[in-house]
Amino acid sequence: MLGSKSNLVSLHEDVTNDTSDLSEKKISDEKGSVEKRTMTLIEKNGYHDSVYINAAKIFQGIHTKKHKDRILVRYGDDSVSPMLTFKDEYFQPVSYELAFSALKYQDLLEEILLDSCVYPCRSIPDELTSLLVVMLYDLQERKFQAREIFDEEEPVAEVRKIEHYLYSFRTKLAAALARCRIKHSAISIEYFLPETIRKQAQRASALPLCVWINTFKISLQDVFGDLKKKGFTRVESVSDLDRYTYCMDQHCNDVLLFPSSLKEELLNLDLFADCKLLLQDKSRSLAVHSAQALLNMDDDIIVAHVGSHLTIAHMSALTVHSTSRIFVCGVKSSAKAAELRNLFSPMGCENIQLLHEDFTEIEPTDSRLQNAKVVLLLPRCSGTGVGNPIDFIVNEHGDAGLLRDLFRGSVSEDKLNTLAERQLNELMHAMKFTKVQAIVYCTCSVYPEENELVVKKALESGVEGNKLQPYRLIPPVFSTCTNSEPSTETFFKMEPSEISSGCFLAVLARKKDSSENVSVKDILARAASKGLLEGLLVEKSKEEEKKQPKVTQRRNNVTAGGMKPKIAEFLHRQTVPNTKAEVPLPKAVSDIQQKNIDLTSSYPQLKKPLNPVSDRVLPRARKQTSHVAPTGKACQRQTLARKARAERKRLVLKTVEIVLPPVITPYVSRQENKPRTSTHPCFHGWTGAKGGRVPPPPSGGRVLPPPLARVVKPTVLSQPRPWL
């Protein structure tokens, strides 16, 4: 027994003396960096008083409740949800982390308190037991050393009282911890945790950091250049990440992945301080990219939940080259609206409109949302697929109960049914909007009850009615990039792993009506959103630049390069008529049609004539040039064709069928010396995308050339145009 006591004493001395290697984090003296990216607390030497208070409130709501016959430590009443107040944005994740750690080691901490006879204490009421447990965990994490007091912080009486009480019993507490470790043969306190919890913590710590680029403030190439100057190297895939490296995401072309060990260094970069790069889970980037691929140039989108302001800002950045508006539902108070506007302003987001009603409270026929074609539905879910629960709760305003569910390894059936019912109601409500054409449904859950089953029940409900086209599932479409692969699965799922969190994504789109005509503008907009028009350059002629009217857009978007988007330029050229240029034809088709002109003395016109003609004159294509010599007309056509080809570098071609009038082949019959007629039924060739069928010949007939005096070959005429 004495030997064991001596071992405990020596172990306690090792624990208390093992503080030489603790290094403090230096706080930057530069103005603004302290407020933005530098942690204002020294974790190894304790936290601010407000952090302990908030962590105790969180732990009070999520601690493990035991049966009445096993209760040895009482935590007071937790029926009322605590009100959390964070003085700094970095205090919030630290408070949740401290509370989660106390939850994981709750049994161990309670055993230490009871074994050391520190608990119960008459001077400490049950309402402060949560604070006692939280501060005990932090004390043993600091090797039972005194906490460093910050001069700028306001002292909290309860915190100072508990701190003084625990520190006075630090020797007994250290000895109790040593006995527990010996009893359970634990090398460290991490071995008190179940193996599943340890693996989950290891996976979360190794998860790559997902960052999206704010194209309002900087371009992709500029980001690459800045990272290269700072010593970062671009690699091909996630498996190649090591220290100062990064890679492109395989699904989203504006998302970068970094090693998890670089989190603090990345947050101190100017790219993050200036909101040019933003840290967020990949599942939200997948959702916004799927929604953006369904939008046309002027379509609006409804975001059903406020969630993270980063998700809304990312959606706004993806619509920078369009006139789309983003309607965000559920902004209840003016204070919340002001907070969001303050967050969106430095990011450059200007096309966001906040609605105070919840999504399910908005009527499907609301006049404000008549131009909304897509609904982005990110409902509250169990979050069992997330890799880092702390970041998910902080960024997505999630429920702290997620920490308890992750620690238990499962979600209660009642809670799961409640979540699934709410998700189904929201999805069915989105299907009632008459103008909406697609819905993007995304969760961070691994349970089918929240994923496939919800979507299946919504599709089977027929809530959209008989007058509208029903919904169907389509594969999600993401932005194309070098490593992307087209999706063929109806649902998009990612299982939790060491390289990504888990998520579920489904896209519901209305079935297309066969009689519905889709405009060229919408087709090109969708092609541009999928990256199919990347690199397409359309040059404008000087005359068109002078005559082009100025278009006032709904909002002015300033990009990093200050250049007009290529797709907007291309769409403008498709909508502005050009009456001076004809549709250019390929050379092979021109040669074939010229031969038919020689045979038939007719010129096929592919556009409507500028002036009407009578029934008893030559074909329409020749009226406007009837006083020009043949050589002059040919020269004029070549000039116009060259001009049109110079103005339009590319022309989309399609196969059409041109029906030609009967061809008169003038040759002399040996028997009756009368011209005979041979007909050619049709001619297949290539023409412009807007070309149509050749109009039929005039009903009044046409003037035929006089018969030749001698027999000639059918395909050769002495005069190509004998009527001139």
Side-chain angles (χ1 to χ4, degrees), residues 399-540:
D399 183 12
L402 170 63
L403 301 177
R404 180 176 58 247
D405 296 334
L406 292 177
F407 176 69
R408 293 176 179 175
S410 63
V411 181
S412 64
E413 185 176 354
D414 293 339
K415 181 179 180 179
L416 192 61
N417 293 335
T418 302
L419 290 172
E421 182 179 358
R422 183 186 306 171
Q423 294 158 359
L424 178 60
N425 291 335
E426 293 176 356
L427 182 55
M428 291 173 60
H429 185 70
M431 298 170 66
K432 295 179 183 178
F433 284 75
T434 57
K435 299 297 183 180
V436 170
Q437 300 298 315
I439 303 171
V440 177
Y441 178 83
C442 181
T443 71
C444 295
S445 173
V446 297
Y447 292 110
E449 290 83 353
E450 298 181 86
N451 300 333
E452 295 93 338
L453 295 182
V454 169
V455 176
K456 182 180 179 181
K457 291 179 181 179
L459 292 175
E460 294 175 351
S461 66
V463 70
E464 61 270 22
N466 298 327
K467 296 182 179 180
L468 300 176
Q469 290 293 325
Y471 279 94
R472 59 185 175 90
L473 287 171
I474 62 173
V477 177
F478 307 114
S479 300
T480 56
C481 51
T482 55
N483 297 327
S484 64
E485 296 180 0
S487 175
T488 58
E489 299 293 335
T490 305
F491 300 113
F492 180 86
K493 298 175 65 175
M494 286 197 312
E495 297 296 335
S497 63
E498 295 181 355
I499 61 174
S500 67
S501 299
C503 78
F504 170 85
L505 193 146
V507 178
L508 290 76
R510 292 191 188 274
K511 293 183 180 180
K512 296 299 181 181
D513 189 356
S514 58
S515 61
E516 180 182 357
N517 294 326
V518 183
S519 64
V520 176
K521 183 179 179 181
D522 291 344
I523 295 176
L524 293 174
R526 294 175 185 176
S529 66
K530 299 176 184 178
L532 300 179
L533 299 182
E534 186 67 24
L536 181 60
L537 180 61
V538 180
E539 299 180 359
K540 291 175 22 178

Side-chain angles (χ1 to χ4, degrees), residues 277-407:
L277 294 182
L278 296 132
L279 183 66
Q280 191 179 22
D281 188 74
K282 179 183 174 179
S283 62
R284 295 321 189 210
S285 298
L286 292 172
V288 296
H289 272 273
S290 299
Q292 190 265 344
L294 300 168
L295 290 173
N296 295 322
M297 293 298 293
D298 54 353
D299 290 345
D300 297 337
I301 183 172
I302 302 173
V303 180
H305 294 276
V306 178
S308 173
H309 70 281
L310 296 175
T311 303
I312 305 171
H314 197 181
M315 189 75 252
S316 178
L318 292 180
T319 58
V320 62
H321 297 322
S322 68
T323 57
S324 300
R325 294 175 297 175
I326 303 172
F327 292 91
V328 183
C329 306
V331 185
K332 291 294 186 180
S333 62
S334 57
K336 181 64 176 179
E339 177 187 352
L340 290 175
R341 293 189 182 98
N342 292 335
L343 293 172
F344 293 144
S345 178
M347 298 182 187
C349 306
E350 298 179 357
N351 62 335
I352 301 173
Q353 297 193 15
L354 307 178
L355 306 178
H356 69 276
E357 305 101 323
D358 286 334
F359 176 64
T360 53
E361 297 175 354
I362 300 177
E363 294 295 330
T365 57
D366 195 305
S367 58
R368 298 170 296 180
L369 307 176
Q370 292 306 298
N371 195 42
K373 298 300 188 296
V374 178
V375 174
L376 178 58
L377 183 55
L378 305 172
R380 185 180 295 273
C381 64
S382 61
T384 51
V386 299
N388 192 326
I390 304 299
D391 289 345
F392 179 80
I393 293 174
V394 173
N395 295 329
E396 303 294 334
H397 305 285
D399 183 12
L402 170 63
L403 301 177
R404 180 176 58 247
D405 296 334
L406 292 177
F407 176 69

Side-chain angles (χ1 to χ4, degrees), residues 18-30:
D18 189 17
T19 58
S20 59
D21 58 342
L22 298 179
S23 59
E24 299 182 355
K25 298 180 181 179
K26 296 182 179 180
I27 301 177
S28 176
D29 296 333
E30 298 180 1

